Amino acid sequence: MEAGPIATVIGLLGACLVALILVLVARREASAQRSRAAEDVSSIKQDARALLADAERRERRVAEREQAVDVERVQVEELEAKARAQAEEAAEARRASERLRESAERDAERLTAETERAAAARLAEAERRALAELEQVSGLSVDDARAELTRRLLEQAQNDAAAQVRRAEAQARRTADARARRIVATALQRTAVATSAQSAITVLALPSDEMKGRIIGKEGRNIRAFEALTGVNVLVDEQPDSVVLSCFDPERREVAQVALEALMADGRIHPQRIEAAYAEAVAGADERTETAGHDAAERAGVTGLHPALVRTLGRLRLRTSYGQNVLEHVVESALLAAGVAAETGADVEVARRGALLHDIGKALTAEVPGTHAIVGADLARRHGESDAVVNAIAAHHDEVAPETVEAVLVQVADAISAARPGARRGDELDQYVERMDKLEQLVTAHAGVRRALAMSAGREVRVVVEPSEVDDTALPQLAVAIARHIESDLTYPGEIKVTVVREIRASATAG
């Protein structure tokens, strides 16, 4: 029992020892923390004292700088005052110099004016004396001398101008002729077409000799029925192995040709079959027209035409102009215009299209009032053609002014196609002679003309003048005046070249 309290005491003593040890350890750690805190406080105080000293140094430097700035400001104000004073002095000096310069200029102007007046007076006096001496020496007054000088200068200027004009015309003519020949020749070489001379007859070859008898029929009933139905004369004895259809109406002649070809192909020829063949030929007229229009556009290389334009174009297959088929003429003109446009750098498609459609109005002139150029232009405009193509159609006979190069090329192609050999029949002899006489009479009406000779089928006129009335310098003006007179008073195809000749002859007899 005694051992228990002893253990308890020993336990309490151990606990007290442990607590004592812990207290000692805690005191030691607290002492260490206080020493460290004292050191930190000392370090902070030292840093604060350093910062305070640094701030005091900075304040002293700022104060010193403010004092320096105040000193500099005072100095700057003193300098500004001095500069203002100097500027005022300079402005005063400048105003004084301006006053002196103005005064000097006025004095110089006054002296210059006085000197000029004196010099002008002396010059006028000298000129009067010189003119008087010249008048005495030459025997001419001033006005007479001035008029003579003016006349001579004017005469010299006219001679020089005429010479320049002759040289320029010669150079332009040489260049233009050479280039025009090359372009037209190139276009013609690229367009190979057969010559044609349309007439009022159509010749059909017979497949056999007995076909003539079938066409005539018993006692001529077949041929009488055919002629009565078609309105076309059938000539069976004009040429061997062929039949001739004669009629001045090309539409009737075409219908009769189609009907007769169908009858000969069928072999059965009698009045009932003739009526059936004629009805079929009349019914197929629209199809033939449209086919001809498409074929012409394809041959000319033109695409995208309105169907109405194609049909109207096909109607031209039955139209002729001076014996030339109009549809063949427009196709040929389109090929020529395209060739010339390619050589000159113009728009090939516009020239080709305008040339193909330029005579399309001829298919409507019996139905629509107006010239074929204006009618054709209105038709093309209504069906979506461009302004350039419409102008080319309207201007190909100069009824309106051409606005593009392509319009002029259409005129050129039209003239080339119409003027090529074999394309058209010539006028009657009396009309030709009348036109030549009118041309010669128009030329001889000009003053100084002795004789006029129309040559080369009216494409050139030679003019012989009186040497005593027309001198060499007046020849170009006379040629131009005659050409303008022909342009204004005559209607003619192509161009007329005017050549003026002045000839002087002298003769003497010896013996």
Side-chain angles (χ1 to χ4, degrees):
M1 296 293 292
E2 293 178 356
I6 294 171
T8 302
V9 171
I10 293 171
L12 291 173
L13 289 175
C16 290
L17 182 60
V18 171
L20 182 60
I21 292 170
L22 291 173
V23 169
L24 292 176
V25 171
R27 285 180 179 180
R28 189 180 295 110
E29 288 180 358
S31 178
Q33 289 180 357
R34 280 195 300 271
S35 63
R36 284 197 299 273
E39 291 175 358
D40 292 339
V41 170
S42 178
S43 176
I44 291 171
K45 288 180 178 181
Q46 291 177 359
D47 293 339
R49 283 193 293 269
L51 292 173
L52 182 58
D54 187 28
E56 291 176 354
R57 286 194 301 270
R58 289 183 179 179
E59 287 180 357
R60 286 194 297 272
R61 285 198 296 270
V62 169
E64 293 174 355
R65 289 180 180 176
E66 288 179 352
Q67 292 176 359
V69 167
D70 292 338
V71 173
E72 290 178 356
R73 185 183 298 110
V74 173
Q75 293 176 353
V76 167
E77 291 177 353
E78 293 177 353
L79 292 176
E80 288 179 353
K82 291 180 180 179
R84 285 194 295 271
Q86 292 176 357
E88 292 177 358
E89 293 178 356
E92 184 63 27
R94 189 162 51 250
R95 287 192 292 272
S97 64
E98 288 290 336
R99 289 193 295 271
L100 292 174
R101 185 177 60 81
E102 292 176 358
S103 177
E105 288 180 353
R106 287 194 297 270
D107 294 341
E109 290 177 355
R110 185 175 61 256
L111 292 175
T112 301
E114 293 176 355
T115 304
E116 289 178 351
R117 285 194 294 272
R122 290 194 297 271
L123 180 60
E125 183 63 25
E127 288 180 351
R128 284 194 295 271
R129 290 198 299 269
L131 288 175
E133 293 177 358
L134 285 175
E135 289 179 357
Q136 292 178 357
V137 172
S138 62
L140 295 174
S141 65
V142 174
D143 294 337
D144 294 339
R146 185 179 294 108
E148 179 65 19
L149 179 61
T150 302
R151 186 188 64 78
R152 292 185 180 182
L153 290 175
L154 181 59
E155 182 178 354
Q156 182 180 359
Q158 289 177 345
N159 293 336
D160 294 342
Q164 292 288 345
V165 169
R166 287 195 297 272
R167 285 195 292 270
E169 287 180 350
Q171 179 66 26
R173 192 178 298 109
R174 287 193 298 270
T175 304
D177 288 348
R179 180 168 174 76
R181 282 194 297 270
R182 181 181 65 79
I183 293 173
V184 173
T186 302
L188 287 175
Q189 289 169 1
R190 294 173 61 182
T191 308
V193 293
T195 57
S196 61
Q198 298 291 329
S199 60
I201 63 173
T202 300
V203 180
L204 296 180
L206 296 176
S208 61
D209 292 337
E210 61 154 348
M211 188 58 68
K212 277 190 177 181
R214 293 186 183 182
I215 293 174
I216 295 173
K218 185 178 180 179
E219 297 179 355
R221 64 173 186 173
N222 290 345
I223 193 172
R224 286 197 300 272
F226 187 87
E227 290 179 345
L229 191 62
T230 61
V232 175
N233 295 327
V234 182
L235 308 177
V236 295
D237 296 328
E238 291 291 326
Q239 300 180 16
D241 301 329
S242 61
V243 174
V244 178
L245 303 179
S246 176
C247 180
F248 288 101
D249 189 334
E251 295 181 359
R252 291 183 183 179
R253 196 165 66 248
E254 186 201 44
V255 171
Q257 176 186 353
V258 173
L260 188 57
E261 287 176 347
L263 290 171
M264 290 190 297
D266 183 42
R268 298 174 298 166
I269 303 178
H270 51 79
Q272 294 77 12
R273 183 73 185 107
I274 291 173
E275 292 179 0
Y278 175 75
E280 292 176 358
V282 172
D286 292 340
E287 182 180 356
R288 290 193 300 273
T289 299
E290 190 163 351
T291 301
H294 282 294
D295 179 65
E298 182 178 357
R299 284 187 292 144
V302 175
T303 59
L305 286 176
H306 192 277
L309 294 178
V310 174
R311 288 192 296 271
T312 308
L313 192 65
R315 294 175 62 180
L316 293 178
R317 76 191 189 283
L318 303 177
R319 301 293 189 273
T320 59
S321 177
Y322 296 96
Q324 184 182 27
N325 184 272
V326 178
L327 185 60
E328 297 298 325
H329 163 65
V330 297
V331 172
E332 180 183 352
S333 299
L335 298 176
L336 288 170
V340 176
E343 293 294 325
T344 56
D347 191 325
V348 176
E349 295 307 318
V350 172
R352 188 196 304 272
R353 205 176 189 90
L356 178 66
L357 300 176
H358 78 277
D359 273 346
I360 196 170
K362 288 185 177 180
L364 304 174
T365 50
E367 307 167 6
V368 181
T371 62
H372 73 274
I374 302 301
V375 171
D378 292 339
L379 179 66
R381 185 185 296 105
R382 289 198 306 271
H383 292 94
E385 292 299 322
S386 64
D387 293 339
V389 173
V390 172
N391 178 253
I393 298 171
H396 79 275
H397 282 321
D398 289 324
E399 296 179 19
V400 299
E403 299 175 356
T404 61
V405 176
E406 290 76 18
V408 178
L409 295 185
V410 171
Q411 292 180 337
V412 172
D414 181 29
I416 293 174
S417 176
R420 63 179 176 81
R424 295 184 173 185
R425 293 197 304 267
D427 297 341
E428 297 297 332
L429 179 61
D430 54 349
Q431 296 177 354
Y432 171 79
V433 172
E434 181 181 356
R435 190 170 69 251
M436 296 302 101
D437 289 340
K438 186 175 181 180
L439 175 61
E440 292 180 353
Q441 292 173 5
L442 183 146
V443 175
T444 54
H446 285 259
V449 176
R450 179 197 302 171
R451 184 174 51 179
L453 300 173
M455 306 178 66
S456 300
R459 299 187 184 276
E460 181 180 359
V461 58
R462 299 282 180 87
V463 184
V464 181
V465 300
E466 291 289 348
S468 59
E469 298 182 16
V470 182
D471 57 10
D472 290 338
T473 59
L475 292 182
Q477 291 88 343
L478 180 60
V480 172
I482 294 175
R484 298 295 176 266
H485 193 180
I486 293 174
E487 290 176 356
S488 61
D489 289 2
L490 287 185
T491 301
Y492 54 90
E495 298 179 348
I496 298 178
K497 180 181 179 181
V498 179
T499 303
V500 182
V501 179
R502 180 176 183 267
E503 182 181 20
I504 298 177
R505 294 186 182 183
S507 62
T509 303

